Amino acid sequence: MKIGVLSAAVIAMAGGAALWVQAGLRNGQLTLAGRGVFRAVGRTVLDGSLPIDGQAQQRALDGFLDRVDALIRALPPHAQDELSQLLATLASAPGRYLVAGVSTDWADASTADLAQGLQGMRISGLALKQQAYAALHDITAAAYFSDAATWPVLGYPGPLQI
Amino acid sequence: MTQFPDPIHAGLSRGWKVLGGRYGAIPEKISCDVAIVGSGAGGGITAELLAKAGLQVVIIEEGPLKSSTDFQQKESQAYPQLYQESAARKTQDKAINILQGRCVGGSTTVNWTSSFRTPGETLQFWQQKFFLKDYDADRLAPYFAQAEQRLNMLPWLAPPNENNDLLRRGAARLGIKAAVISRNVKGCWNLGSCGMGCPTNAKQSMLVTTIPVALDLGASLLTETRVHNFEIGNGRVTGLRCGPVQPNGAMDSASATGESTLITARHYVLAGGAINSPAVLLRSGAPDPYQLLGRRTFLHPVVLSAGVFEQPVEAWSGAPQSIYTDHFLHTQPVTGSIGYKLEAPPLHPVIFASLVPGIGKNQHALLQDFPSSHALLALLRDGFHAQAPGGRVHLRGDGSPVLDYPLTDYVMDGARRALLSMAEIQFAAGARQVLPLHEMATPYTRWAQAQTAIHALPMKPMLTKVVSAHVMGGCGMAGHEKQGVTRPDGVHWQLDNLSVHDGSIFPTSIGANPQLSIYGIVNRLAQDLCGRLNGRGTSLI
């Protein structure tokens, strides 16, 4: 697996070869590290659309992560490889900080801090950060709203039964 | 349980020869008269005509055979099953998201039925710049007419849904002429789920028209089977190698280690579509003496504008595209600043949530307005100017194709003008809010405010949301060998027994939704090919 340009940039800025101990995907499925990144991204991107109640929100995020897995399983190998590298980079402390501007563990970061980090990526002058943002945003939106249970949030009644 | 008879299940019961995927392994060697790569717009038309002419045809399709029973009107199923790369194929810099079909019927199984003949100014440009002297509207007219009749293309007579009517009303307020789109449907239920496969078989895609005719006449169809490469020797194709693919498009491990099926034929027709057809030829090491292969790949890059209205719009419901305007294609010459065609796209939950920019509560506010949300799209007409030369197809290390399509300032200037035009139309139609799909835009509540803001937006890739549903070029035709991969009759300039019959032969973008251009032009190419192969005349109707 070749190191992506983003990962190489992070390694260089972190001052040498960082140890990527955790891949983002394994066999086309999110690893624990990958799930950690997407759980944090999900609760930030979907803030306002997720259930407010704590337990209901956790269940919604669990379902969301399962759908992210299903979405990833359907991606071609080259896209899975790129996503795996992106998630590995973000899961690492230097990557999380340099790319997303997040200095705490993903699980501990406040939604406000995560939102600020994602906004920075979104309008960054660095194409690599914009690409990373777009991947996280689009996968999150597609995976979450592919489930009929989320459609009331959109006011979408579902397809006409024929 | 569907109430609609499934024509594919019925055909399989009649004894259609279908292999691959759940239909059983394909044999190691196959021999036939003509091998057709791809079952989309070009492959389908070719298969029907050649089978009618009595030729033994094998069609090789990398996507699955899915039919009306499978079409549940759900994006979660449609995108991974029916589209290239789960509807997330992207250009090399990730700036453009490409929608292309990957299933039996190709993009015609998932398109929005819009039917336009190739515009006159496009044909004139081809005649002048690419020496395609037989590509004039009068000579092509009978071939277009046959395709229109065969596929039941008629102006959509039902009232446009609100998402389309807002384009009509807004344009009318500004003195801009809009017109009704013709659609290839028969007995349409006005559902709006065309992009997920038609569940009622009203859409006259290749899946329910030409492919069944070919199969009833004895053609064979290999599904979930990708052509890896042609074998080439002494200036001719001597065979093609293909193997099974997994549902996510990965080559089966057996194929990867060299176990594949060899198909030999008298003639080969490549109809995998743009990006895919050049990829097969690149993997084959096909002769390319003037380095044209894969270049001049066009996308009709699309930018979008989302409006919110007081009344319900419900852009998921009703025939998805029924109104268009070509006004902005004619405000300057075809070789001047880039023109654009305006249409309305349907909106479903996944595509809407992915397109709407932003995160958190701001994005939620936009998502909540889904039932009153309206969208317009602009198809930018690329390929007619030196600064819109399109993109180039490359191969990755694993042999999969990627399109490198830089968005030039010339194209992005057109994108800005298109955002302005769409916002003005949406406000004229009564929008209470308009949001150009750009990461730095915010919802504007008045046209004057939007106009100022759009003029100040940095029109850069990635910041500007750009998508494509029309991929064209890469094996362009020309009357001179130095300008084309293919000859005006669709035959490869350097390989006499190989034809290319799909949208990759277009020397420029079309300037209109391309399906009918492919049907009509391939109709002529395939009829001529039949004549050369066995002298028998054949016709679509």
Side-chain angles (χ1 to χ4, degrees):
Chain A
M1 184 174 83
K2 72 172 167 61
I3 300 289
V5 183
L6 183 68
S7 315
V10 167
I11 292 173
M13 284 200 69
L19 207 66
W20 305 125
V21 285
Q22 305 191 79
L25 303 180
R26 192 164 293 115
N27 299 325
Q29 299 294 267
L30 289 169
T31 59
L32 260 168
R35 278 178 95 87
V37 173
F38 260 113
R39 194 174 200 95
V41 167
R43 84 175 141 87
T44 311
V45 170
L46 301 166
D47 182 28
S49 299
L50 287 166
I52 296 172
D53 169 73
Q55 279 196 6
Q57 189 177 107
Q58 291 312 309
R59 278 198 304 276
L61 286 170
D62 289 341
F64 159 67
L65 289 172
D66 289 343
R67 296 196 291 284
V68 171
D69 261 343
L71 190 152
I72 289 170
R73 218 176 0 252
L75 292 176
H78 72 85
Q80 286 182 355
D81 283 349
E82 281 187 9
L83 185 60
S84 186
Q85 287 177 50
L86 171 63
L87 291 172
T89 304
L90 291 171
S92 74
R96 192 184 62 219
Y97 180 67
L98 289 168
V99 178
V102 175
S103 45
T104 63
D105 284 346
W106 286 101
D108 299 332
S110 71
T111 305
D113 284 347
L114 290 171
Q116 195 171 3
L118 287 173
Q119 292 287 16
M121 291 168 72
R122 182 186 171 203
I123 55 174
S124 167
L126 198 60
L128 294 174
K129 288 194 188 182
Q130 291 178 319
Q131 291 166 357
Y133 167 82
L136 295 173
H137 172 274
D138 293 357
I139 290 173
T140 297
Y144 191 69
F145 290 105
S146 64
D147 179 19
T150 65
W151 294 344
V153 165
L154 301 171
Y156 173 64
L160 203 68
Q161 292 308 308
I162 52 167
Chain B
M1 192 63 163
T2 180
Q3 56 165 303
F4 300 95
D6 187 318
I8 303 309
H9 290 186
L12 290 164
S13 306
R14 286 197 297 276
W16 280 356
K17 292 187 273 192
V18 178
L19 291 172
R22 69 212 296 221
Y23 301 101
I26 50 181
E28 277 182 24
K29 279 183 156 56
I30 299 176
S31 170
C32 59
D33 289 327
V34 183
I36 301 175
V37 181
S39 65
I45 295 287
T46 303
E48 171 165 322
L49 290 168
L50 267 51
K52 277 175 166 171
L55 291 160
Q56 187 55 242
V57 166
V58 174
I59 307 156
I60 309 111
E61 168 55 56
E62 71 164 281
L65 175 57
K66 297 286 184 188
S67 55
S68 49
T69 314
D70 302 303
F71 302 150
Q72 304 293 309
Q73 310 185 74
K74 292 202 176 103
E75 292 170 285
S76 58
Q77 294 172 352
Y79 295 155
Q81 289 177 14
L82 306 176
Y83 284 77
Q84 285 288 355
E85 306 192 36
S86 284
R89 170 169 270 184
K90 297 193 193 325
T91 50
Q92 189 163 309
D93 63 358
K94 312 276 192 258
I96 308 176
N97 194 73
I98 295 171
L99 299 182
Q100 232 184 344
R102 191 187 70 115
C103 55
V104 176
S107 296
T108 76
T109 299
V110 294
N111 74 10
W112 299 336
T113 75
S114 300
S115 305
F116 296 93
R117 292 192 184 187
T118 313
E121 59 261 33
T122 301
L123 292 174
Q124 276 157 35
F125 192 87
W126 290 1
Q127 289 181 288
Q128 284 158 22
K129 304 290 184 191
F130 293 91
F131 305 98
L132 293 169
K133 58 181 173 53
D134 293 330
Y135 283 79
D136 69 82
D138 289 339
R139 264 186 274 203
L140 284 169
Y143 299 96
F144 281 127
Q146 288 167 17
E148 287 159 350
Q149 192 178 335
R150 177 75 182 86
L151 302 175
N152 213 59
M153 289 175 173
L154 294 165
W156 182 240
L157 296 177
N161 67 3
E162 185 69 348
N163 197 48
N164 280 273
D165 204 55
L166 286 169
L167 169 57
R168 189 190 60 77
R169 301 201 307 260
R173 278 261 170 79
L174 299 172
I176 290 168
K177 185 171 159 298
V180 171
I181 296 179
S182 287
R183 308 181 61 220
N184 58 319
V185 294
K186 199 189 281 190
C188 177
W189 279 49
N190 210 16
L191 294 173
S193 297
C194 314
M196 293 171 267
C198 178
T200 68
N201 300 303
K203 176 163 70 176
Q204 302 297 287
S205 67
M206 300 293 93
L207 175 69
V208 301
T209 58
T210 56
I211 299 293
V213 165
L215 293 174
D216 277 332
L217 288 168
S220 299
L221 171 64
L222 309 182
T223 64
E224 299 181 56
T225 304
R226 180 183 294 137
V227 171
H228 188 264
N229 63 288
F230 292 113
E231 295 188 334
I232 294 170
N234 295 326
R236 289 177 67 77
V237 176
T238 58
L240 69 78
R241 291 232 162 252
C242 58
V245 286
Q246 292 171 26
N248 72 336
M251 287 302 283
D252 214 76
S253 51
S255 301
T257 55
E259 295 169 35
S260 57
T261 292
L262 176 68
I263 301 183
T264 51
R266 289 173 51 202
H267 198 90
Y268 300 81
V269 175
L270 181 54
I275 299 180
N276 309 313
S277 285
V280 173
L281 292 175
L282 287 168
R283 289 197 296 262
S284 308
D288 183 28
Y290 308 103
Q291 281 144 61
L292 300 170
L293 180 58
R295 290 190 210 255
R296 295 191 65 80
T297 295
F298 301 106
L299 290 177
H300 285 160
V302 164
V303 290
L304 303 116
S305 185
V308 181
F309 287 77
E310 295 300 341
Q311 72 273 25
V313 178
E314 298 180 350
W316 57 78
S317 171
Q321 293 198 314
S322 53
I323 299 288
Y324 75 99
T325 177
D326 279 350
H327 174 86
F328 299 99
L329 290 175
H330 303 129
T331 43
Q332 62 285 312
V334 74
T335 50
S337 43
I338 197 167
Y340 44 93
K341 184 185 189 80
L342 296 188
E343 293 170 348
L347 297 173
H348 289 91
V350 166
I351 203 139
F352 184 66
S354 317
L355 281 176
V356 162
I359 62 174
K361 301 216 161 60
N362 285 345
Q363 200 215 21
H364 175 69
L366 297 168
L367 295 176
Q368 262 192 315
D369 281 333
F370 185 36
S372 340
S373 291
H374 172 249
L376 287 180
L377 63 78
L379 299 164
L380 294 162
R381 181 176 53 187
D382 50 344
F384 294 83
H385 188 281
Q387 289 167 48
R392 184 178 182 187
V393 177
H394 298 275
L395 295 179
R396 295 190 186 87
D398 65 357
S400 63
V402 60
L403 173 62
D404 179 12
Y405 187 111
L407 283 163
T408 60
D409 289 344
Y410 167 87
V411 171
M412 295 312 286
D413 168 73
R416 187 196 306 280
R417 286 182 284 107
L419 291 180
L420 286 163
S421 300
M422 292 188 286
E424 191 177 12
I425 288 172
Q426 287 174 313
F427 281 116
R432 65 170 167 82
Q433 163 185 311
V434 172
L435 175 67
L437 295 193
H438 186 289
E439 298 292 347
M440 293 174 77
T442 56
Y444 309 117
T445 52
R446 285 169 13 258
W447 164 231
Q449 179 199 18
Q451 192 175 23
T452 306
I454 293 170
H455 273 296
L457 285 175
M459 293 302 295
K460 297 284 172 219
M462 294 308 293
L463 288 178
T464 315
K465 184 72 82 170
V466 182
V467 303
S468 167
H470 303 152
V471 200
M472 300 154 285
C475 294
M477 289 184 290
H480 289 167
E481 188 183 3
K482 286 189 179 157
Q483 263 190 299
V485 173
T486 48
R487 299 185 331 214
D489 64 357
V491 178
H492 191 280
W493 266 108
Q494 287 82 33
L495 297 167
D496 278 348
N497 61 341
L498 172 65
S499 296
V500 185
H501 284 190
D502 62 25
S504 74
I505 62 174
F506 298 147
T508 64
S509 77
I510 296 292
N513 313 53
Q515 67 167 345
L516 177 53
S517 289
I518 302 171
Y519 299 139
I521 288 169
V522 169
N523 184 17
R524 184 167 76 176
L525 298 178
Q527 289 191 32
D528 291 349
L529 178 63
C530 281
R532 294 198 299 273
L533 286 177
N534 72 354
R536 277 169 63 171
T538 182
S539 176
L540 279 181
I541 47 162

